[in-house]
Amino acid sequence: MKREVKKLENSKVEVLCDVEPAKWKEYQEKAFHKLAANLELKGFRKGKVPEAMARKEINQGQIFNEAVNLSLQPAYEEVLKEEKLQPFARPSVDVTKLSDTDLQLKFIIVLAPEVKLGQYKGLGIKKDAVKVEEKEIDAEIEKLVAQNANLVVSEKPAKKGDTVVIDFVGSVDGKEFDGGKAENYSLELGSNSFVPGFEDQLVGAKSGDEVEVNVTFPTQYVPELAGKKALFKCKVHEVKEKVVPELDEELIKELNIPDVKDVASLREYEKRALLSQKEGAANNAAFNKVIDKIVEGSKVEIAEEIIAEEVEGMKKNMEQQVSQRGLTLDQYYQITGQKVEDVEKQMKADAEKNLKAILCMEEIAKQEKIEVTDADVEFEFSKIADQYKMEIEKVKEILGKDLPRFKAEIRQRRIQDFVGKENIA
């Protein structure tokens, strides 16, 4: 296959390739037979139309279109193989010549961006010192005790912090609306999980009460309800009071925390946990500063196609997260008041920043020859086996199912360790 290759800016390559006439003829024949196999004509079963009649029904434009589609992947694979190109994003393709004897394709292939590293050692980024205050330990213990509270049925009027079990039916202008009805729903008053004002109107209610709750939906809400007044008819089945246990030896025993036998050892445990969290946050903050500094001093030009693919992935991820909440993207934007163009602009900026960081890290790994050997993998297997008290063969069975990913994670940790060691004071 005849080719012309031209280097473009931003690590792109333009390849003009002429498909051999005999091969192009073959693609056209395959295209015709594929179209004929799906042709439906009165008096004939699908795919059983005589060839002479099929040729009258199928026009040359249809054949060209199908034949070009058949030729694209083989032509692209041949270009990559013969020119030894490693694509970094989806290529663009145009048909630059087309006749019954000629087909010329133009591929614009995006290669891995070239990275010119600046300084990546000795940047001297200082990590923030961390300490744990006694009041922070108190707050963590208070939270832990609250998590072990029991809900006890109460005959008293409901107050903030209590849980009410209710049936409710919502209506706007006398008509019920989707999602506005539930039975035996447990709602903690003061949790702010319902429309503003809803929970407040149930304060003071007792078991057996019927309460009419009037609310106005926020203007930033799903279009069919935004800004509208609604009536919820509620039936209170139970009021449950949260009873927080005493912090004593019995509770500490129930918590079943390793090496925690009394209040003093619980405080030490919480102090270590808080210190570990703060150390992790300080390490991450310092590491991010290092990466920002490395990227700032390096030259990385990324093709728009690469950024666009990254943004597309971010959009799909966002759509999945939103759908898990039972919303569409349009509804999410309406509720949050965000503009699509602002979100996509931020995504593009984040995508470019993330890609530059990844590419700089990869270039550092190349220059420092950071790789993962089979012996390294074996060592990691043994560490995991020791940590979880498992047979090493069982660990291999589990993690070996996606060995390339496991090795990539080890390599990534090593790159990060190297960068941190060389730059964080």
Side-chain angles (χ1 to χ4, degrees):
M1 187 167 58
K2 182 183 173 184
R3 289 185 300 278
E4 290 179 24
V5 181
K6 181 166 67 174
K7 285 191 176 181
L8 306 176
E9 293 180 347
N10 281 348
S11 301
K12 294 182 189 176
V13 172
E14 177 188 283
V15 182
L16 279 174
C17 56
D18 293 285
V19 177
E20 294 168 0
K23 197 72 177 171
W24 174 228
K25 201 71 178 174
E26 183 183 324
Y27 284 131
Q28 290 179 72
E29 280 301 303
K30 284 183 179 178
F32 166 75
H33 289 294
K34 184 176 179 181
L35 292 166
N38 290 292
L39 183 62
E40 293 185 28
L41 201 61
K42 190 174 180 180
F44 298 95
R45 284 182 296 152
K46 182 180 176 180
K48 298 298 182 180
V49 179
E51 184 173 328
M53 294 180 70
R55 289 195 180 275
K56 290 178 182 179
E57 294 294 324
I58 300 169
N59 63 52
Q60 190 62 39
Q62 290 174 287
I63 293 172
F64 279 164
N65 187 56
E66 186 63 41
V68 167
N69 287 335
L70 291 171
S71 71
L72 288 178
Q73 192 61 31
Y76 180 57
E77 289 176 357
E78 185 174 334
V79 165
L80 296 182
K81 182 180 178 182
E82 294 299 322
E83 300 298 330
K84 296 181 173 57
L85 300 175
Q86 293 290 331
F88 203 78
R90 287 191 299 267
S92 64
V93 61
D94 287 314
V95 177
T96 47
K97 283 183 188 177
L98 180 63
S99 71
D100 58 348
T101 56
D102 295 302
L103 173 64
Q104 186 181 72
L105 303 170
K106 180 172 78 173
F107 292 102
I108 303 294
I109 301 171
V110 181
L111 307 177
E114 291 183 11
V115 179
K116 293 183 181 177
L117 279 176
Q119 183 181 351
Y120 66 90
K121 295 180 185 178
L123 292 173
I125 300 296
K126 295 193 180 298
K127 183 176 74 173
D128 292 338
V130 298
K131 64 177 182 178
V132 175
E133 304 282 354
E134 289 298 314
K135 61 182 180 182
E136 293 176 297
I137 300 173
D138 292 339
E140 286 301 307
I141 291 178
E142 187 177 327
K143 193 191 302 180
L144 181 64
V145 172
Q147 287 170 354
N148 286 271
N150 294 312
L151 289 177
V152 178
V153 175
S154 171
E155 297 303 320
K156 299 175 186 176
K159 62 183 183 300
K160 288 283 181 75
D162 287 350
T163 294
V164 291
V165 180
I166 58 174
D167 296 342
F168 62 85
V169 179
S171 60
V172 172
D173 297 329
K175 294 182 179 179
E176 294 183 19
F177 55 87
D178 289 341
K181 185 177 182 179
E183 293 181 352
N184 293 313
Y185 189 94
S186 292
L187 173 64
E188 182 181 340
L189 302 184
S191 64
N192 298 318
S193 54
F194 270 31
V195 181
F198 188 103
E199 295 168 27
D200 294 337
Q201 294 176 60
L202 287 170
V203 171
K206 292 187 293 185
S207 175
D209 285 355
E210 293 185 2
V211 182
E212 289 192 349
V213 173
N214 291 281
V215 297
T216 300
F217 285 103
T219 52
Q220 300 295 342
Y221 208 71
V222 291
E224 55 270 24
L225 296 174
K228 292 183 178 178
K229 292 182 179 179
L231 168 67
F232 285 87
K233 292 185 178 181
C234 304
K235 169 74 175 178
V236 181
H237 292 298
E238 286 181 327
V239 175
K240 295 181 179 180
E241 187 177 11
K242 190 181 288 184
V243 179
V244 179
E246 290 290 328
L247 179 59
D248 52 22
E249 287 186 9
E250 185 180 343
L251 177 60
I252 288 172
K253 187 176 180 181
E254 286 178 9
L255 293 174
N256 196 28
I257 301 171
D259 301 322
V260 172
K261 306 298 180 188
D262 50 29
V263 174
S265 57
L266 177 61
R267 293 187 71 82
E268 280 301 313
Y269 170 83
E270 292 294 349
K271 183 178 181 178
R272 287 195 304 271
L274 283 167
L275 199 58
S276 176
Q277 289 171 17
K278 290 191 172 189
E279 284 283 356
N283 285 333
N284 287 337
F287 184 80
N288 288 337
K289 287 178 184 176
V290 170
I291 293 301
D292 288 345
K293 198 78 175 171
I294 291 172
V295 170
E296 185 185 324
S298 303
K299 186 178 179 183
V300 188
E301 292 184 357
I302 305 176
E304 283 297 317
E305 290 88 342
I306 297 174
I307 297 172
E309 277 196 21
E310 188 75 5
V311 169
E312 199 57 38
M314 293 166 81
K315 280 184 186 173
K316 285 180 181 176
N317 187 47
M318 180 182 177
E319 193 169 2
Q320 285 176 349
Q321 290 178 346
V322 168
S323 69
Q324 286 170 2
R325 302 180 200 173
L327 298 172
T328 65
L329 270 181
D330 285 342
Q331 289 171 331
Y332 173 79
Y333 285 129
Q334 287 159 354
I335 291 169
T336 60
Q338 297 183 80
K339 293 182 180 178
V340 178
E341 55 269 26
D342 291 340
V343 173
E344 291 188 355
K345 184 179 178 182
Q346 187 59 53
M347 281 183 174
K348 185 176 179 182
D350 291 343
E352 186 171 2
K353 181 180 178 181
N354 294 341
L355 285 165
K356 284 184 176 180
I358 291 167
L359 291 162
C360 283
M361 294 276 279
E362 278 301 310
E363 188 61 25
I364 291 170
K366 285 180 189 175
Q367 295 201 17
E368 296 296 329
K369 298 180 174 56
I370 299 173
E371 295 299 339
V372 176
T373 65
D374 291 342
D376 296 328
V377 174
E378 283 292 323
F379 178 69
E380 291 295 328
F381 282 153
S382 342
K383 273 173 53 179
I384 293 169
D386 288 342
Q387 182 181 353
Y388 293 100
K389 305 293 186 286
M390 294 172 65
E391 293 290 331
I392 192 167
E393 292 306 319
K394 188 65 178 175
V395 173
K396 288 181 181 180
E397 180 187 336
I398 296 168
L399 297 177
K401 291 174 183 175
D402 196 355
L403 194 56
R405 182 178 175 181
F406 183 63
K407 289 179 76 171
E409 288 172 355
I410 299 170
R411 183 172 178 270
Q412 189 62 25
R413 286 201 305 271
R414 290 196 171 185
I415 300 169
Q416 291 176 348
D417 290 344
F418 172 84
V419 171
K421 183 180 176 182
E422 292 292 332
N423 296 286
I424 299 175

